[in-house]
């Protein structure tokens, strides 16, 4: 379990740079539900994820949420070091959705290194472009995909991540992921239930017809 | 009229890098309405804008548009060199909205230089972060701001850009900017007209009560 195996451009750094990273980096094991980054209040550093699952979400000024993307093992989390980029004019929050393990390269060291290493700076560009792409994909969904199809897609994605057709998730929580109101989610889930695609019990959504949900999601 | 005065990190480049840029760069004067970049089909290069106005918009697979942001003099256009970033997984189009003048630093040279110069690579990061911020702002508007307020804001912004209260713009064009259907725009403009905020004639929207529009936009 070595940082060098998880950090994509490790071999493009100088030996001295590698040493400085190893010296300053902590290994960190936050349990599920830990808030790692809370907008501009935090600037922990670059997170190199060994295992687990992170959720990166946008929080509006009046407290509404939408999930932007998830990060998994071997991913690098950039916005936890957002203070390195004065041009970032928006705040995101980052939380663990499963017990996770990660290396933290402190922001101050990361800021120094992107000024020295074109490899690291260019890798940062690629990371930023990847996240940008995920947000553009999401915007397209929001703009032009109806809510029933987005919800069907969300339930299938959750089922895939949890490796279960029984999702332990509240309507409130689904609403936060999707950036909408709880009532909207409840109404649509009841429609799905009437159509035989899910079965609802308190705090649980059971997928009963994956094929129909999938057809809807891709319609 | 020197590129060195328009390219923000000029003085952080080596003399040799400056020479290579000057040698390879063209000055270009596309008239209003020129399509400079059409998704992944083009990769002109980094555009350093001397004067004019560019519109960067997203085009969905089925041909729907939404304006992401505008660029003006002294801005640098990054996505016209998107082939430099394999992680960019979305296509945008870029067109001139006014007669414009700009320098074009070819993509191949730009790609070489970001591998050599941390200054240029970090500047690229800041550019990407700026554009990302504009798209996040837009997403927040789309998610949580009602269409009447968005449209009021759009009309005021256009009026500001054109320095006129008489906007020569079709409902179809407004719909493309805002990522919606023409009918939705027409319906809302008629409502605005009934409220005395605009007066509609063929191909023109005349703002008759700027104060009321502004109040709506910021409500």
């Amino acid at each position: 379990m070595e940082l060098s195996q998880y950090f994509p451009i490790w071999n493009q750094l100088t030996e001295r740079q590698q040493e400085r990273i190893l010296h300053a980096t902590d290994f960190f094991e936050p349990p599920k539900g830990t808030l790692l980054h809370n907008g501009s209040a935090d600037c922990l550093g670059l997170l190199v994820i060994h295992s687990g699952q992170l959720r990166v979400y946008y929080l509006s000024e009046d407290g509404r949420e939408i999930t932007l993307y998830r990060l998994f093992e071997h991913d690098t989390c950039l916005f936890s070091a957002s203070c390195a980029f004065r041009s970032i004019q928006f705040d995101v929050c980052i939380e663990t959705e499963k017990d996770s393990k990660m290396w933290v390269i402190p922001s101050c060291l990361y800021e120094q290194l992107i000024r020295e290493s074109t490899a690291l700076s260019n890798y940062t560009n690629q990371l930023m472009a990847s996240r940008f792409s995920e947000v553009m994909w999401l915007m397209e969904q929001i703009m032009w995909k109806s809510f029933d199809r987005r919800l069907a897609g969300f339930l299938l994605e959750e089922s895939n991540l949890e490796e279960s057709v029984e999702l332990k998730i509240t309507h409130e929580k689904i609403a936060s992921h999707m950036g909408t109101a709880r009532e909207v989610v409840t109404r649509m889930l009841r429609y799905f239930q009437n159509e035989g695609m899910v079965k609802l019990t308190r705090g649980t959504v059971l997928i009963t017809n994956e094929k129909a949900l999938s057809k809807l999601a891709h319609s």
Side-chain angles (χ1 to χ4, degrees), chain A:
Chain A
M1 194 165 87
E2 298 280 342
L3 175 57
S4 59
Q5 287 161 18
Y6 283 77
F7 196 54
I9 54 141
W10 188 257
N11 295 331
Q12 295 174 57
L13 298 171
T14 65
E15 217 165 292
R16 177 74 190 111
Q17 287 165 346
Q18 291 174 350
E19 274 167 25
R20 282 159 69 200
I21 291 175
L22 289 174
H23 182 76
T25 296
D26 278 325
F27 193 70
F28 182 46
E29 305 189 32
K32 176 179 170 171
T34 307
L35 186 62
L36 298 173
H37 182 83
N38 185 9
S40 52
D42 294 308
C43 197
L44 201 54
L46 207 66
L47 307 178
V48 180
I49 303 171
H50 171 269
S51 57
Q53 183 176 314
L54 271 57
R55 178 169 85 101
V56 179
Y57 60 101
Y58 181 75
L59 193 62
S60 76
E61 276 181 27
D62 45 357
R64 286 181 281 201
E65 287 183 17
I66 183 168
T67 300
L68 298 178
Y69 50 84
R70 260 85 173 239
L71 298 170
F72 305 94
E73 66 177 65
H74 283 282
D75 278 336
T76 305
C77 181
L78 180 64
F79 286 125
S80 47
S82 59
C83 58
F85 306 97
R86 56 177 163 65
S87 305
I88 294 183
Q89 297 291 326
F90 59 96
D91 289 336
V92 298
C93 297
I94 304 165
E95 64 170 18
T96 51
E97 283 191 312
K98 293 184 179 171
D99 294 345
S100 301
K101 297 180 183 182
M102 62 195 70
W103 290 272
V104 184
I105 302 176
S107 300
C108 52
L109 177 61
Y110 172 63
E111 275 196 73
Q112 285 167 30
L113 290 174
I114 53 173
R115 270 158 193 76
E116 292 172 26
S117 161
T118 51
L120 184 60
S121 179
N122 282 310
Y123 174 60
T124 301
N125 272 317
Q126 298 293 355
L127 274 181
M128 189 98 72
S130 290
R131 304 310 171 236
F132 204 153
S133 300
E134 301 201 60
V135 167
M136 287 301 299
W137 179 86
L138 178 63
M139 196 168 80
E140 175 161 10
Q141 302 290 309
I142 293 168
M143 287 293 300
W144 296 308
K145 200 164 179 177
S146 59
F147 185 70
D148 57 344
R149 290 185 284 166
R150 279 181 66 212
L151 182 58
F154 174 81
L155 295 176
L156 291 169
E157 196 192 327
E158 285 298 307
S159 165
N160 191 30
L161 287 174
E162 298 300 327
E163 296 176 357
S164 166
V165 291
E166 192 183 16
L167 306 175
K168 298 202 179 308
I169 191 168
T170 62
H171 300 187
E172 186 75 42
K173 187 78 190 162
I174 297 174
S176 288
H177 276 291
M178 304 190 68
T180 188
R182 190 193 50 74
E183 298 73 30
V184 176
V185 172
T186 298
R187 199 184 314 132
M188 192 62 78
L189 283 174
R190 284 192 186 138
Y191 166 76
F192 285 3
Q193 183 167 251
N194 289 341
E195 297 290 306
M197 295 189 278
V198 303
K199 193 170 180 318
L200 306 174
T201 51
R202 181 174 287 274
T204 309
V205 178
L206 179 70
I207 296 177
T208 50
N209 188 342
E210 201 172 321
K211 213 170 154 184
L213 265 189
S214 177
K215 198 176 159 195
L216 174 60
H218 299 102
S219 65

